[in-house]
Amino acid sequence: MALPVEEVRRLLDACWKAKTITELMPELPAGFKPRYVHVIDAIWHINQRGSGGQMQGSARVGDVSAFLGITTPSVTKLVGEMTERGLVTKHADADDRRAVTLTLTEQGLEIRRTYVEEYHAHLAELLGGLTAEQCEAVVDTIGETLRLMRRDGENRALERQTGEDRAGRIG
């Protein structure tokens, strides 16, 4: 059963509004990408769960990629940029010398304090009228929409490639 077109329009409009919400977040330092904050927070959370804590992290690039739901090459590029900026430190993994673990520098921890802890605390007060159920519904809906649209994009790319392959054999 198809979703009514008017509901699709409303859903996409809500996604644009969600993007606008992210644009209302506090201004970041010059040249600082918003994705850096996401990577910093992911590294922090992964290291909190791991045995090493923040000083001797357990976060690997693949862990950050899985945590954020973005590709490993994208995370590798971001981590490289962040290392150059002094936000992240790479360490040789004690168990696997080919792998590296990631920790946050003092500057990285300060960025997290300012742009995650303090700002999220502010938003917790500001958004206090929302229920946990409302938040969960938004999270679930956007997550599932993203998953379905990504899968559709992959299928369309595969169809284009298959069509081009057929055209090349015919021509």
Side-chain angles (χ1 to χ4, degrees):
M1 180 168 80
L3 186 64
V5 172
E6 180 58 22
E7 292 304 312
V8 171
R9 187 198 64 71
R10 291 182 64 225
L11 178 61
L12 291 176
D13 185 50
C15 289
W16 281 107
K17 288 175 183 171
K19 182 181 182 302
T20 301
I21 288 170
T22 65
E23 294 166 354
L24 295 172
M25 294 174 75
E27 189 173 335
L28 296 169
F32 200 93
K33 296 178 182 178
R35 283 251 163 145
Y36 292 172
V37 177
H38 294 276
V39 172
I40 286 169
D41 195 42
I43 292 169
W44 188 88
H45 278 285
I46 294 164
N47 286 342
Q48 282 297 103
R49 291 192 312 237
S51 59
Q54 295 304 321
M55 301 312 293
Q56 194 169 347
S58 57
R60 295 179 178 195
V61 170
D63 299 329
V64 175
S65 173
F67 188 93
L68 296 174
I70 60 178
T71 66
T72 300
S74 294
V75 173
T76 300
K77 182 176 186 255
L78 287 167
V79 166
E81 293 170 8
M82 294 168 67
T83 300
E84 289 175 14
R85 288 182 159 270
L87 301 169
V88 173
T89 302
K90 297 178 186 179
H91 308 275
D93 188 295
D95 299 326
D96 181 356
R97 287 294 189 203
R98 296 169 296 165
V100 295
T101 58
L102 309 168
T103 57
L104 300 175
T105 63
E106 280 302 315
Q107 184 182 358
L109 289 168
E110 183 57 33
I111 291 291
R112 186 178 184 283
R113 270 189 291 280
T114 302
Y115 294 96
V116 177
E117 290 176 27
E118 292 174 11
Y119 188 60
H120 286 190
H122 169 72
L123 288 178
E125 292 294 323
L126 180 70
L127 304 175
L130 297 176
T131 66
E133 291 79 19
Q134 287 174 307
C135 293
E136 192 64 31
V138 170
V139 168
D140 289 347
T141 301
I142 289 176
E144 182 63 6
T145 301
L146 178 60
R147 186 189 70 76
L148 292 169
M149 290 180 74
R150 278 183 174 161
R151 187 173 70 191
D152 179 62
E154 292 166 0
N155 290 340
R156 287 172 180 252
L158 186 60
E159 288 173 7
R160 281 192 302 274
Q161 183 181 13
T162 304
E164 290 168 5
D165 290 347
R166 284 190 207 129
R169 284 188 299 234
I170 295 171

